[in-house]
Amino acid sequence: MLAPLVAKRTLTHDLFVLRLAAPTIASSVQPGQFVNILPRTGAIDPLLRRPFSVYQTGEGWIEVIIQIHGKGTEELSKALVGDSLDVIGPLGSPWKYNSGSFSTAILLVGGVGVASMPSLTQACESSNIPFETYYGARNERLFADEYLKRVHYATDDGSKGYRGSVIDLLRSDLRSVAYAHPKLFVCGPTPMMRAATTLAAEFDIPCEVSLETEMACGVGICQGCPVQTTAAELEKTGKKFHLVCTHGPSFEREQIVF
Amino acid sequence: MSVNEKSSKSATTVNLGIEIAGVRFANPIFVASGTFGYGSEAARFCDISGIGAIVTKSVSWNPRPGNFPRRIVETPSGMLNSIGLANVGVDAFVTEKLPYLAEFDTKIIANIAASSVGEYCSVLEKIEANATGNLVGYEINVSCPNVKDGGLSFGTNVGMVEEVVRALRPLTKKLLAIKLTPNVTSVAPFAQACEDCGADAISLINTVVGMSVDIRTKRPRLSTVTGGLSGPAIRPIAIAKVYEARKATKLPIIGIGGIATASDAMEFFIVGASAVQIGTMNFVHPDASIRVRDELTQLLTSQGCSSMKDVIGTLEVSGEMRSLGW
Ligand SMILES: Cc1cc2nc3c(=O)[nH]c(=O)nc-3n(C[C@H](O)[C@H](O)[C@H](O)COP(=O)(O)OP(=O)(O)OC[C@H]3O[C@@H](n4cnc5c(N)ncnc54)[C@H](O)[C@@H]3O)c2cc1C
Ligand SMILES: Cc1cc2nc3c(=O)[nH]c(=O)nc-3n(C[C@H](O)[C@H](O)[C@H](O)COP(=O)(O)O)c2cc1C
Ligand code: FES
């Protein structure tokens, strides 16, 4: 589907936002889902679409935030207001925020992982789910917190909030603050997500992580985006791998090895 | 008659229909094995009934989980994959996938992969016994580069290909196409062997062995080190293999490799392919086959052609070119 670029803005020095007119996606997307954008117009290089979380939605539009990583995101950074981008979506399964037994949602964020958090924040608010957001970065200039609420900050250099890792901040809060039956919803760099699953195991609380893998199709055809399942999940489902594009991008920590 | 009158007249008369070994296909644009799943995944984005034929993902006797990640890497105008024939296995294929596909008004060709001649036979027999109305034939994958057992070792050995075709031929009256690999010096003896042993058609090409390295970590990008290259980057290789096979056999050829547009498909038809399959481009546009089909109608119209017969095998190679060994 062709989606006109209606606005473009810079969020932090390495993140920019594209607002695309995409009424069908805007009206059906759920928190945690993503879209697949073709980062070119005519030529065939780069060839494949690139996946991006839906960051924010409004009347007839969606926003994505993009960090320049390589060829495709570089190409997208050149898109101008008025250009049309070829977008497929919404894809993937939503965050599982309205199932399972928990009372407090803890949104744990790092880096560009912030992209899937505004929609989850709004879902928690409209479903009356109490929530807290923990957000870590190297320094305060890297925070993209415009749509977040109830944020506890941590920076490596102490320029905002707790000095040190956001995992350490959350660990100390889980010890001292009485969060009722918390569940972690995590999206960030892989080391942070690994640390989050360890933390969740330490406190024996549920934890869902949103993964990124290379994708060719984004719709469950190519089998190119697998993540290995745990022994328990293999036993339960008979599947040695789950596909990140359709089963995920988010998984309960007990489901997968990463 | 004005130009406009001529083109509007021919627009209504272009006939994309083709026939391969007695099977009629509404159009010559098929989707390639492994790039369209079992139909259901793309149904949301693509008018499945408009596809000439769906070649299903390779199915083996047992379900296969596939290789460890990383399984895909994008390369210039193409991609490398090392999926490892992840598939649901023949039982689920006949109980779940074929009945779903039977609901669409399109032809189905079941692609089979195996690691022994016996396994090829068992899978085919099982499908044959459960065939739905629109299952018109089989495509035998003797050429997957990404599995340790079977895979390329079949497709790169003429004797093995002969053995597979001879064993399968008596098991079905349906269309039997053999999908060959480009990873051989010359594809001609393989095409010839397929004809001699009773195959109805050959499909060319499967992916080309390729490799990509992360220069930062100095490690191969794919978990299996090498993988299969596909996409527009391989089209010239595919055209050359179809050209070579065309000279070696009278069997109908189904051309595959890097087709993104109707003009790409036309190159295959001109060289002698009766039909083509769209592979990797389905990942970019799940309705790529419909787009190419519609473009093809326009292209044929603009060239004043009324049927596929007007283009298939129309390559002109001059005497000097031939004498140079081409
Ligand atoms: C579900 C999901 C949601 C995402 N959401 C966002 C987001 O909101 N904002 C954002 O900036 N990034 C997001 N990403 C990561 C983003 O897709 C990659 O950074 C991007 O594909 C890199 O493309 P490139 O051409 O710039 O890099 P290249 O390195 O040139 O890409 C080469 C190939 O690898 C793939 N690739 C490389 N890195 C990744 C990666 N980390 N994840 C997935 N594919 C990758 C590309 O698709 C491409 O096929 C998301 C990824 C996934 C899977
Ligand atoms: C991800 C992927 C999976 C594939 N799986 C199969 C398969 O299961 N069986 C098969 O015969 N070919 C398989 N192929 C090969 C394609 O059917 C086709 O021959 C090849 O990709 C070349 O065409 P293309 O350049 O249009 O993609 C696969 C290709 C890709 C990219
Ligand atoms: S990206 Fe193709 S199956 Fe997930």
Side-chain angles (χ1 to χ4, degrees):
Chain A
M1 193 192 73
L2 285 182
L5 179 59
V6 289
K8 183 177 178 180
R9 65 199 152 91
T10 303
L11 206 53
T12 64
H13 84 281
D14 70 340
L15 286 181
F16 61 96
V17 183
L18 299 182
R19 181 179 290 194
L20 298 159
T24 327
I25 300 176
S27 63
S28 57
V29 66
Q30 296 180 58
Q33 288 190 296
F34 66 95
V35 291
N36 233 352
I37 307 184
L38 198 59
R40 61 183 162 85
T41 42
I44 43 168
D45 194 25
L47 185 69
L48 302 170
R49 289 173 187 271
R50 299 322 195 226
F52 298 97
S53 302
V54 175
Y55 177 55
Q56 187 58 286
T57 52
E59 201 55 42
W61 55 261
I62 60 166
E63 280 183 351
V64 290
I65 58 173
I66 297 180
Q67 185 172 47
I68 299 186
H69 176 86
K71 214 157 46 173
T73 44
E74 175 83 51
E75 199 64 33
L76 284 171
S77 73
K78 296 181 201 148
L80 302 173
V81 171
D83 290 351
S84 281
L85 296 178
D86 189 332
V87 185
I88 288 184
L91 304 174
S93 304
W95 287 109
K96 291 169 271 302
Y97 63 90
N98 49 11
S99 59
S101 56
F102 72 95
S103 309
T104 312
I106 295 186
L107 283 48
L108 178 56
V109 202
V112 72
V114 69
S116 64
M117 292 304 177
S119 56
L120 185 55
T121 302
Q122 281 146 14
C124 288
E125 280 188 316
S126 54
S127 312
N128 289 319
I129 299 170
F131 68 94
E132 302 291 331
T133 306
Y134 283 78
Y135 194 174
R138 276 198 311 283
N139 63 60
E140 65 173 337
R141 288 185 305 283
L142 298 175
F143 287 118
D145 55 359
E146 55 181 358
Y147 295 129
L148 302 185
K149 292 188 178 157
R150 306 187 60 83
V151 189
H152 308 252
Y153 296 94
T155 47
D156 291 350
D157 66 358
S159 51
K160 183 162 185 164
Y162 177 85
R163 177 193 291 269
S165 107
V166 69
I167 297 284
D168 291 341
L169 169 63
L170 177 57
R171 178 180 283 108
S172 98
D173 281 5
L174 284 174
R175 285 198 184 116
S176 58
V177 186
Y179 290 137
H181 301 292
K183 172 175 174 177
L184 307 188
F185 294 86
V186 194
C187 192
T190 307
M192 185 189 126
M193 292 205 278
R194 280 210 188 98
T197 55
T198 310
L199 183 70
E202 198 179 309
F203 286 84
D204 193 23
I205 53 182
C207 172
E208 194 173 326
V209 289
S210 183
L211 302 187
E212 287 187 7
T213 56
E214 297 77 23
M215 294 185 177
C217 71
V219 299
I221 298 175
C222 72
Q223 307 285 319
C225 62
V227 58
Q228 196 190 344
T229 55
T230 53
E233 186 72 0
L234 173 63
E235 175 92 351
K236 200 165 123 196
T237 63
K239 294 202 154 93
K240 188 171 169 189
F241 300 104
H242 283 321
L243 295 179
V244 172
C245 70
T246 47
H247 199 123
S250 73
F251 296 88
E252 303 286 349
R253 76 176 155 91
E254 295 84 2
Q255 293 184 296
I256 47 139
V257 181
F258 79 107
Chain B
M1 191 164 61
S2 75
V3 174
N4 278 347
E5 274 172 274
K6 183 172 181 253
S7 59
S8 67
K9 181 167 177 281
S10 41
T12 56
T13 56
V14 170
N15 177 6
L16 292 184
I18 51 140
E19 197 175 303
I20 298 177
V23 183
R24 291 281 312 160
F25 295 91
N27 70 69
I29 312 296
F30 302 177
V31 288
S33 179
T35 65
F36 207 71
Y38 306 102
S40 54
E41 302 86 348
R44 197 177 139 197
F45 308 98
C46 178
D47 167 22
I48 289 187
S49 297
I51 304 173
I54 295 175
V55 185
T56 53
K57 171 80 188 163
S58 280
V59 62
S60 49
W61 183 255
N62 290 316
R64 295 180 68 116
N67 294 333
F68 270 89
R70 177 176 181 176
R71 289 185 185 173
I72 51 174
V73 172
E74 195 184 274
T75 55
S77 297
M79 63 178 274
L80 283 167
N81 87 77
S82 175
I83 306 299
L85 290 181
N87 81 90
V88 296
V90 74
D91 282 341
F93 180 75
V94 298
T95 55
E96 295 163 25
K97 307 301 179 182
L98 278 183
Y100 173 82
L101 286 165
E103 295 184 8
F104 295 94
D105 182 19
T106 185
K107 304 264 190 309
I108 306 301
I109 297 174
N111 180 301
I112 301 175
S115 50
S116 69
V117 177
E119 187 186 349
Y120 277 114
C121 294
S122 311
V123 176
L124 190 141
E125 282 176 316
K126 180 115 196 185
I127 301 175
E128 187 82 357
N130 294 276
T132 49
N134 57 350
L135 182 95
V136 296
Y138 304 94
E139 182 180 75
I140 308 305
N141 179 3
V142 291
S143 50
C144 184
N146 302 324
V147 283
K148 276 201 220 89
D149 43 351
L152 264 187
S153 61
F154 270 101
T156 55
N157 178 326
V158 178
M160 298 281 272
V161 171
E162 283 175 344
E163 213 183 307
V164 172
V165 182
R166 278 212 189 92
L168 292 177
R169 182 68 281 182
L171 303 180
T172 182
K173 291 197 165 59
K174 293 190 169 69
L175 173 70
L176 183 64
I178 312 300
K179 183 165 179 179
L180 298 177
T181 176
N183 300 307
V184 290
T185 312
S186 169
V187 82
F190 293 86
Q192 189 84 64
C194 290
E195 184 170 350
D196 295 346
C197 300
D200 294 314
I202 53 176
S203 301
L204 265 172
I205 60 175
N206 209 317
T207 53
V208 182
V209 172
M211 179 168 169
S212 175
V213 176
D214 185 327
I215 60 164
R216 196 176 42 84
T217 61
K218 299 191 170 64
R219 297 170 69 89
R221 286 205 169 92
L222 288 176
S223 67
T224 49
V225 183
T226 60
L229 182 64
S230 66
I234 68 166
R235 200 175 69 244
I237 299 173
I239 304 273
K241 295 291 176 192
V242 171
Y243 173 64
E244 190 197 344
R246 180 69 296 153
K247 291 187 296 179
T249 172
K250 293 199 170 52
L251 288 182
I253 297 173
I254 304 171
I256 320 163
I259 298 169
T261 65
S263 12
D264 299 345
M266 276 289 257
E267 287 196 51
F268 283 88
F269 296 134
I270 291 168
V271 170
S274 304
V276 295
Q277 296 176 13
I278 312 277
T280 301
M281 287 311 290
N282 290 310
F283 302 151
V284 182
H285 299 293
D287 63 347
S289 53
I290 303 295
R291 290 172 185 235
V292 172
R293 181 202 64 182
D294 292 347
E295 268 180 40
L296 183 64
T297 305
Q298 284 171 19
L299 187 60
L300 291 179
T301 306
S302 71
Q303 295 199 346
C305 302
S306 60
S307 84
M308 291 305 298
K309 283 205 190 77
D310 297 341
V311 285
I312 294 172
T314 52
L315 183 73
E316 291 181 26
V317 181
S318 71
E320 300 90 75
M321 285 170 161
R322 281 207 194 88
S323 68
L324 285 172
W326 298 99

